[in-house]
Structure formats: structure tokens, C-alpha cells
Amino acid sequence: NLCSTMGLSVVAEGIETNEMETILKNAGATWGQGYLYSRAIDNSHMTSLLRIQAADRFSLYGTEKESSTRRFI
């Protein structure tokens, strides 16, 4: 598809079911968001989640930890 030829990522929005996710992945979407992963949250909750994720991602020495899994918020 055009996006992959140009080296661009495709973001699918509004994914609500596993079936929709599968269809969109097969169509070439590389990223996705929607109710399947999380309901909308307010900015203070998002800020807290990002702080937790950042603290978990970096060790005491300030180097990034290796992660074998991708988490969805």
C-alpha cells in the first residue's frame, strides 16, 4: 500500500472489537486506538499513567530497560 511504500505508519482509530482489530491489521494498519484498548480518560489520569510508565521504563541509573512486551493504556 501507499503508506508502507513511503515508510509511513497507519493509525486506525475507533477499534471496538477483536474482529475490527484483525481486519485493520490485515489491511495494513500498524497502530490502533479505541475502546477495545481503553475508554477515554481525563488528563490527570493520563498524566499519572505516563509517570508510572516512565518510572517503570527507566532504572535507578537513568538507562532504559529492555521490554519484550508492548502495553496498551
Side-chain angles (χ1 to χ4, degrees):
N1 72 34
L2 180 61
C3 289
S4 63
T5 301
M6 296 178 69
L8 302 172
S9 296
V10 176
V11 179
E13 296 187 6
I15 302 171
E16 295 183 8
T17 66
N18 289 323
E19 181 182 18
M20 288 173 73
E21 179 188 53
T22 300
I23 291 167
L24 291 164
K25 280 182 180 178
N26 290 338
T30 48
W31 295 96
Q33 69 85 31
Y35 283 162
L36 178 63
Y37 309 111
S38 175
R39 301 284 184 206
I41 58 174
D42 63 32
N43 65 342
S44 63
H45 188 180
M46 187 65 199
T47 301
S48 295
L49 289 172
L50 290 171
R51 284 186 178 138
I52 291 166
Q53 185 179 28
D56 184 47
R57 190 172 179 189
F58 292 90
S59 72
L60 295 174
Y61 302 105
T63 57
E64 191 170 349
K65 289 193 235 178
E66 292 295 322
S67 175
S68 60
T69 60
R70 177 176 300 266
R71 288 187 228 157
F72 291 92
I73 295 175

